[in-house]
C-alpha cells in the first residue's frame, strides 16, 4: 500500500498538497457521508496515510522504507551504508570525495552533493555493480 497513491500525491508533494488531498478525501469517504463498507475501508486508509505523511520524521522513515523496497525489487547489491565523514579526498581534487569498494574500485561523489543534511545518496562503484548509501 502506497500512502502517496492513496492520497493522490507524489513523493515530491509539499505538506500543504498532502493536507489538501487528505481533507478532500476525508470528506468524500467519511462514514457520516457514505455508509458503504468499501468507503469506510478507504476512509481508514486515508487516515493512516495522513498520520504518516503529515509528520516529517514518520514521512522520512516511510520514504526510506519505500526506497529500500525499490532497491530490493531491482536486486541491487548494497556494499555499505556510510556517513559522509567516511568519504576521503583523493588525487588532490578536493571537490570529489571517494570511498574504496571491496573490488578495488572506488565510489566517487562530488562534495556539493553531500552538503544537504538528512538525506541518503546512492553511489555506484566505478568498477563493479555494488552501491553504497551515503547518509548526510
Amino acid at each position: 500500500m502506497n500512502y502517496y497513491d492513496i492520497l493522490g500525491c507524489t513523493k515530491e508533494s509539499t505538506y500543504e498538497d498532502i493536507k489538501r488531498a487528505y481533507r478532500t478525501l476525508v470528506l468524500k469517504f467519511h462514514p457520516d457521508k457514505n455508509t458503504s463498507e468499501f468507503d469506510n475501508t478507504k476512509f481508514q486508509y486515508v487516515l493512516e496515510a495522513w498520520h504518516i505523511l503529515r509528520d516529517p520524521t514518520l514521512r522520512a522513515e516511510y520514504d526510506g522504507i519505500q526506497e529500500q523496497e525499490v532497491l530490493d525489487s531491482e536486486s541491487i547489491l548494497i556494499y555499505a551504508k556510510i556517513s559522509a565523514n567516511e568519504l576521503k579526498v583523493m588525487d588532490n581534487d578536493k571537490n570529489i570525495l571517494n570511498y574504496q569498494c571491496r573490488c578495488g574500485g572506488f565510489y566517487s561523489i562530488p562534495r556539493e552533493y553531500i552538503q544537504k543534511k538528512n538525506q541518503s545518496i546512492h553511489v555506484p562503484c566505478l568498477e563493479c555493480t555494488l552501491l553504497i548509501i551515503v547518509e548526510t
Side-chain angles (χ1 to χ4, degrees):
M1 167 171 33
N2 185 317
Y3 292 141
Y4 293 107
D5 290 344
I6 290 170
L7 295 180
C9 297
T10 66
K11 187 175 177 184
E12 291 77 29
S13 296
T14 65
Y15 171 81
E16 290 301 319
D17 295 335
I18 292 170
K19 183 177 175 181
R20 194 173 332 146
Y22 162 74
R23 287 184 175 183
T24 300
L25 292 172
V26 82
L27 287 173
K28 180 178 179 181
F29 297 118
H30 195 281
D32 290 343
K33 303 255 184 214
N34 292 299
T35 57
S36 75
E37 185 177 319
F38 178 72
D39 288 341
N40 191 31
T41 301
K42 279 191 172 185
F43 179 73
Q44 294 302 318
Y45 288 151
V46 168
L47 290 177
E48 186 177 336
W50 171 244
H51 173 74
I52 297 299
L53 298 180
R54 73 178 178 192
D55 181 295
T57 304
L58 293 175
R59 183 176 178 181
E61 287 176 21
Y62 175 73
D63 289 344
I65 291 168
Q66 293 292 94
E67 286 179 31
Q68 187 59 49
E69 286 176 0
V70 169
L71 289 175
D72 290 346
S73 71
E74 295 175 355
S75 299
I76 295 173
L77 298 174
I78 299 173
Y79 171 56
K81 187 180 270 192
I82 65 170
S83 65
N85 62 5
E86 294 179 69
L87 297 166
K88 305 225 183 305
V89 174
M90 299 178 79
D91 299 327
N92 297 326
D93 187 352
K94 296 182 189 232
N95 294 321
I96 302 293
L97 300 172
N98 295 290
Y99 187 81
Q100 188 161 10
C101 183
R102 69 180 184 196
C103 75
F106 287 93
Y107 301 94
S108 296
I109 185 169
R111 184 182 296 271
E112 66 189 58
Y113 287 15
I114 63 166
Q115 298 305 314
K116 185 177 176 187
K117 299 295 179 199
N118 300 320
Q119 65 178 345
S120 294
I121 305 166
H122 298 100
V123 184
C125 177
L126 299 174
E127 300 294 325
C128 70
T129 60
L130 295 175
L131 286 175
I132 60 169
I133 298 175
V134 179
E135 295 183 336
T136 61

